[in-house]
Amino acid sequence: VKAAQRGRIRLRVTGGVQGVGFRPHVYRLALRYRLGGLVGNDSEGVFIEVEGSDLDLSLFKNALQAEAPPAADIQRLSEQTMSVAGQTEFRIIVSESNGIPRVAVSPDLHCCRECREEIANPTNRRFGYPFTNCTNCGPRYTIIGELPYDRASTTMRSFTMCGDCAGEYQDPADRRFHAQPNACPACGPRLSLSLTAIVESLRRGEILAVKGVGGYHLVCDARREATVARLRRGKNRLSKPFAVMVQDLEAARRLAFVNQHQAELLDGSSRPVVLLQSRGVLPDAVAPGLSTVGLMLCYTPLHYLLFSEGAPDALVMTSANQSGLPIAAEEREATSQLRGLVDRFVHHDRSIEVPCDDSVVRSFRGQTLPLRRSRGYAPFPIELPFIVPPTLAVGGQMKGTLCLGRGKQGVLSQHLGELENLQTLHYFQHVMEHLKQLYQLTPRLVCADPHPNYLSSRWARESGLPLVEVQHHHAHLASCMAENGLGRDSMALGIILDGSGYGEDRTVWGGEILRGGYRGIERLAHLKAVPLPGGDRAVKEPWRMALSHLWSAGLEWPSEIPPVRHANQRELPLSALKIQLENQINTVPTSSMGRLFDAVASLLGVCQEVEYEAQAAVLLEQVADHAETGSYCFGPGFDPGPVWEAIITDLAGQTSPGAISMRFHRAVAKTLGALAREHHEGLPVALSGGVFQNCLLLELVVAELEAHGIAFLTHRQVPPNDGGLSLGQLMVGVVRYQEEGGTVCA
Ligand SMILES: [Zn+2]
Ligand SMILES: [Zn+2]
């Protein structure tokens, strides 16, 4: 019998492999297959050397991927043959911090099943302990200050492990081997209030500010109308929907309709808020006027413990911030911002390195449609279609994010909120410095929106770095192309629909048909422009847009239509608006599709004033009667005039708002379909911009394209709204800078 061949190989694993229990996984497999060698983390990921029989080596390689820890995301595995060294021991090398980190920092991870079992087991030493974690789960991004990921680089450095915890941490066979946030009731972080007291307070209908993994949440019983209404008054947020946390899928199904893909999203490791069709069992105050509800499942041990201790089965769980300010992350901010609004504070003493809001997603045709990419996703890099030098893109104004690029990675930050005041600008800068530190990345180029007044753009202009300004809708197109893997020289036809973006002609764009690629765009067609009367006021008050559209179409303002009734009831100056439109006082032309949706919502009496972005469009989408098969027709030049005439006629004829909304949605989709057929010339059609958060419109447009065999691209990794803008800016900025002769060293 021939003796088994022995060999030694070196493996290199890249991707999301640090802080997810990968080294212990390797160690256990090495023991199982009797291999000698070593494993370590370095700035590029995990390196492994193993030696043993050829059979054992191949079994090891199979198991390495097949049994990888649930949170690991192996992007590449490369192998190199080495000469046998006769090593029979297997050891773990301690991290070294030299070199440039190229690893993915893990997002915060949802509490794993084993940890859940421990906190529920009265004989376990972690019974009832809300900071339980292991190498498979727990906080990551929000506690890491720098790489490599070791306890000393996290905010856990201030807690000294007790003997038991240290034993686990050092034992390669233990689930907590090198679990950096490892802690127990004897040595780890503590809550400022007992679980029992928190649960009793919630049951009494009190409002709590509870410090979680990425910041404070405002928490209360979602079934108590009066409590939720009190929270709304305190937060000065009358209609923006609150997210609701439930214990499990079963509880989610009691509140909303949940299909297979939505169940996977809810129950998956990222634990986003998922927008679902509501069953209408929660009070209207949770999501006023909406037929949807945003649900998420428990994700920290504290959440699980609250429900098992008897907390109400549906909890409002919304970011604790006053309107316009970033999520509160530390005790001082929380108490100063929220005093008077909450009945009790629940603090803990594990610091948050960077705050991170909950993510929000929808499901579209069995795929994720991100609306806000934040906790659970950030800062996992987006794989870029081509190599970029170290570059920073600062995003827009609404739904701010920033993107740091290097090599083939684009690190998109968490949601930063509306960048319209100093506090959010500070948050933006803090997150940027943190990500630069984590990735040891010094940008050589900055990309921004050309808008004269965006704070992010102003910051970029003053940064001293070479600057490339990227037109807003060009950036939307590029972000959709990039996440779909379209290469440097690719072209697409963009149907880019949103609320507003600064156009090349200094008007407000938003209903754009663009052809181009990363290098540049051609504006082939757009929604016929109408005056935007009074800028911001027209955005906040859709009735003004409705009247502007009617005026532009040469139509009267009959006294019985809802926008006119609204203005008269509120004694708002209709004649002043008419004078403003006729004399073009403080008006700017806009081709915005978002404003067209606002205007139709107003004319149907669905919404006259908005509190949050896209509110009118959301209401118009939900009122649509799906059984209606009719459609309106835009005029030549994407002119909405004929649509307005038809709507006025339908209103006078008592056609229901549901039917009108559906006919309007279909008219938009049919016109876009026709424009796509006319202009695509074999190119794929990229659908981007905030209007595509509307799944009814998205479905109708996609159906039009499919019916004519036109390939299309949609968003699955980054939001179609301005939250995805920074990724597109990055791609365009790099290509333009390099092609215009600017060079930046990689
Ligand atoms: Zn765990
Ligand atoms: Zn301990």
Side-chain angles (χ1 to χ4, degrees):
V1 181
K2 193 180 164 192
Q5 282 282 355
R6 278 183 73 81
R8 185 179 179 98
I9 51 172
R10 185 178 169 88
L11 298 165
R12 154 73 60 196
V13 194
T14 57
V17 290
Q18 286 194 13
V20 293
F22 206 83
R23 283 181 303 171
H25 159 65
V26 172
Y27 188 91
R28 282 191 291 272
L29 293 182
L31 293 189
R32 185 197 297 169
Y33 297 114
R34 302 167 300 276
L35 306 176
L38 53 90
V39 62
N41 277 345
D42 66 8
S43 54
E44 297 191 16
V46 169
F47 58 90
I48 304 164
E49 288 182 20
V50 273
E51 122 169 32
S53 80
D54 285 350
L55 175 64
D56 285 334
L57 285 176
S58 82
L59 290 171
F60 171 84
K61 279 187 286 179
N62 285 339
L64 190 67
Q65 300 207 59
E67 299 172 29
D73 172 27
I74 300 178
Q75 284 171 3
R76 264 180 242 306
L77 178 66
S78 63
E79 180 182 337
Q80 208 183 318
T81 310
M82 303 183 74
S83 49
V84 177
Q87 189 180 4
T88 51
E89 297 260 288
F90 193 87
R91 47 194 190 95
I92 294 183
I93 311 278
V94 175
S95 295
E96 288 165 29
S97 65
N98 54 357
I100 302 168
R102 290 190 191 278
V103 295
V105 178
S106 168
D108 302 301
L109 301 170
H110 153 241
C111 181
C112 76
R113 186 179 46 81
E114 285 149 308
C115 286
R116 290 191 320 256
E117 283 166 6
E118 289 176 354
I119 61 175
N121 174 3
T123 66
N124 189 285
R125 69 191 189 90
R126 288 190 175 81
F127 176 61
Y129 183 55
F131 299 92
T132 300
N133 64 80
C134 72
T135 47
N136 298 319
C137 76
R140 296 289 187 274
Y141 175 52
T142 54
I143 62 164
I144 305 176
E146 60 191 19
L147 284 182
Y149 174 59
D150 268 332
R151 191 172 178 102
S153 334
T154 72
T155 60
M156 284 300 292
R157 73 181 79 87
S158 55
F159 300 93
T160 306
M161 277 185 270
C162 68
D164 289 341
C165 286
E168 295 164 340
Y169 184 88
Q170 284 152 13
D171 176 3
D174 195 278
R175 194 171 95 254
R176 294 195 168 86
F177 175 64
H178 281 214
Q180 308 304 347
N182 189 23
C184 78
C187 66
R190 286 169 201 208
L191 286 179
S192 65
L193 198 62
S194 75
L195 284 170
T196 326
I198 300 172
V199 168
E200 279 172 7
S201 165
L202 289 169
R203 291 172 68 108
R204 276 198 302 272
E206 293 183 347
I207 298 169
L208 280 74
V210 181
K211 186 176 178 183
V213 65
Y216 281 77
H217 277 120
L218 293 168
V219 187
C220 71
D221 184 350
R223 290 185 189 268
R224 284 177 179 254
E225 177 117 49
T227 305
V228 180
R230 184 159 64 91
L231 175 58
R232 287 208 169 276
R233 286 193 301 275
K235 224 186 158 189
N236 194 20
R237 198 165 116 171
L238 300 180
S239 52
K240 193 171 178 184
F242 289 144
V244 172
M245 178 174 280
V246 292
Q247 185 168 17
D248 50 26
L249 277 177
E250 207 178 306
R253 290 197 161 101
R254 287 198 293 270
L255 303 179
F257 297 91
V258 182
N259 69 25
Q260 180 59 35
H261 180 241
Q262 290 163 335
E264 286 164 19
L265 284 172
L266 282 167
D267 204 24
S269 59
S270 296
R271 300 271 154 154
V273 175
V274 184
L275 291 195
L276 300 163
Q277 200 59 37
S278 168
R279 289 187 189 272
V281 295
L282 291 175
D284 187 58
V286 170
L290 297 182
S291 59
T292 53
V293 61
L295 297 186
M296 68 178 147
L297 300 194
C298 294
Y299 59 90
T300 70
L302 174 61
H303 301 150
Y304 283 99
L305 289 166
L306 289 179
F307 286 112
S308 65
E309 287 283 313
D313 69 339
L315 295 173
V316 164
M317 185 80 62
T318 184
S319 294
N321 57 325
Q322 283 295 2
S323 294
L325 297 183
I327 183 171
E330 292 306 338
E331 188 168 338
R332 198 146 38 95
E333 293 169 78
T335 42
S336 73
Q337 267 196 52
L338 306 168
R339 184 176 289 123
L341 163 57
V342 303
D343 301 306
R344 271 166 189 259
F345 284 93
V346 183
H347 307 292
H348 64 66
D349 52 0
R350 184 178 68 204
S351 301
I352 294 173
E353 186 75 47
V354 278
C356 198
D357 281 281
D358 294 316
S359 295
V360 184
V361 302
R362 277 184 102 161
S363 167
F364 175 73
R365 289 189 165 193
Q367 303 228 310
T368 309
L369 177 66
L371 304 186
R372 176 197 286 178
R373 184 183 183 273
S374 214
R375 180 196 44 78
Y377 299 93
F380 255 167
I382 312 284
E383 190 172 341
L384 304 180
F386 53 87
I387 289 175
V388 300
T391 304
L392 164 68
V394 297
Q397 171 109 327
M398 309 288 285
K399 304 184 191 302
T401 60
L402 59 91
C403 189
L404 280 171
R406 178 176 53 203
K408 284 186 112 178
Q409 288 191 342
V411 178
L412 194 67
S413 76
Q414 66 269 43
H415 168 79
L416 305 171
E418 319 310 333
L419 283 166
E420 51 193 14
N421 53 42
L422 278 181
Q423 288 92 334
T424 28
L425 189 65
H426 286 151
Y427 180 30
F428 162 88
Q429 286 174 288
H430 174 55
V431 169
M432 177 174 58
E433 291 305 324
H434 181 240
L435 284 172
K436 278 163 65 179
Q437 172 73 29
L438 277 188
Y439 286 89
Q440 294 287 294
L441 193 158
T442 309
R444 311 280 173 76
L445 177 68
V446 62
C447 315
D449 195 285
H451 196 289
N453 299 324
Y454 281 4
L455 287 187
S456 61
S457 304
R458 287 201 211 163
W459 182 91
R461 286 179 203 122
E462 288 162 16
S463 67
L465 291 167
L467 167 71
V468 182
E469 291 184 337
V470 181
Q471 197 278 327
H472 194 93
H473 303 93
H474 189 189
H476 275 305
L477 168 63
S479 86
C480 189
M481 289 172 63
E483 78 153 82
N484 282 283
L486 268 64
R488 198 182 173 100
D489 301 318
S490 304
M491 299 270 287
L493 184 76
I495 297 182
I496 315 296
L497 310 179
D498 70 356
S500 66
Y502 192 68
E504 284 170 354
D505 57 1
R506 301 184 179 204
T507 70
V508 179
W509 291 11
E512 311 303 314
I513 311 295
L514 310 171
R515 184 169 51 213
Y518 302 111
R519 287 187 180 84
I521 45 161
E522 227 186 313
R523 191 188 192 198
L524 300 178
H526 58 84
L527 183 67
K528 188 180 169 193
V530 302
L532 182 72
D536 243 19
R537 289 192 77 180
V539 177
K540 298 249 161 69
E541 302 176 21
W543 68 272
R544 291 174 186 272
M545 264 336 281
L547 297 181
S548 171
H549 263 286
L550 291 179
W551 179 83
S552 304
L555 297 169
E556 294 296 311
W557 294 351
S559 60
E560 73 279 6
I561 60 170
V564 174
R565 283 213 312 266
H566 174 82
N568 285 335
Q569 277 163 11
R570 305 281 167 105
E571 296 178 351
L572 296 161
L574 277 175
S575 52
L577 179 63
K578 192 163 251 166
I579 293 167
Q580 188 179 12
L581 291 167
E582 280 165 357
N583 298 290
Q584 299 176 32
I585 303 163
N586 190 19
T587 65
V588 52
T590 183
S591 56
S592 166
M593 184 59 77
R595 296 293 86 77
L596 178 64
F597 272 75
D598 286 357
V600 173
S602 163
L603 192 59
L604 297 191
V606 167
C607 183
Q608 304 302 344
E609 300 194 9
V610 300
E611 180 187 302
Y612 54 92
E613 204 204 2
Q615 183 176 359
V618 167
L619 294 167
L620 190 64
E621 176 189 354
Q622 94 172 25
V623 81
D625 175 0
H626 291 227
E628 167 64 37
T629 54
S631 175
Y632 301 125
C633 275
F634 280 80
F638 210 169
D639 176 8
V643 173
W644 289 111
E645 277 180 54
I647 295 179
I648 293 280
T649 308
D650 273 353
L651 274 177
Q654 308 294 313
T655 306
S656 73
I660 296 175
S661 169
M662 193 66 196
R663 290 176 189 178
F664 168 70
H665 274 85
R666 192 168 279 122
V668 173
K670 280 186 176 301
T671 306
L672 294 171
L675 287 165
R677 289 201 298 286
E678 183 184 345
H679 294 296
H680 79 94
E681 294 178 1
L683 298 174
V685 174
L687 305 176
S688 190
V691 171
F692 283 114
Q693 297 173 95
N694 178 331
C695 283
L696 171 59
L697 182 72
L698 184 57
E699 174 58 45
L700 292 170
V701 173
V702 162
E704 283 289 326
L705 298 173
E706 282 177 334
H708 294 91
I710 301 173
F712 59 90
L713 312 168
T714 58
H715 285 281
R716 283 159 297 172
Q717 299 186 63
V718 307
N721 60 44
D722 286 4
L725 215 53
S726 56
L727 174 66
Q729 291 173 344
L730 180 88
M731 308 310 292
V732 173
V734 165
V735 170
R736 291 256 303 271
Y737 191 72
Q738 291 176 338
E739 306 216 333
E740 282 164 19
T743 48
V744 268
C745 326

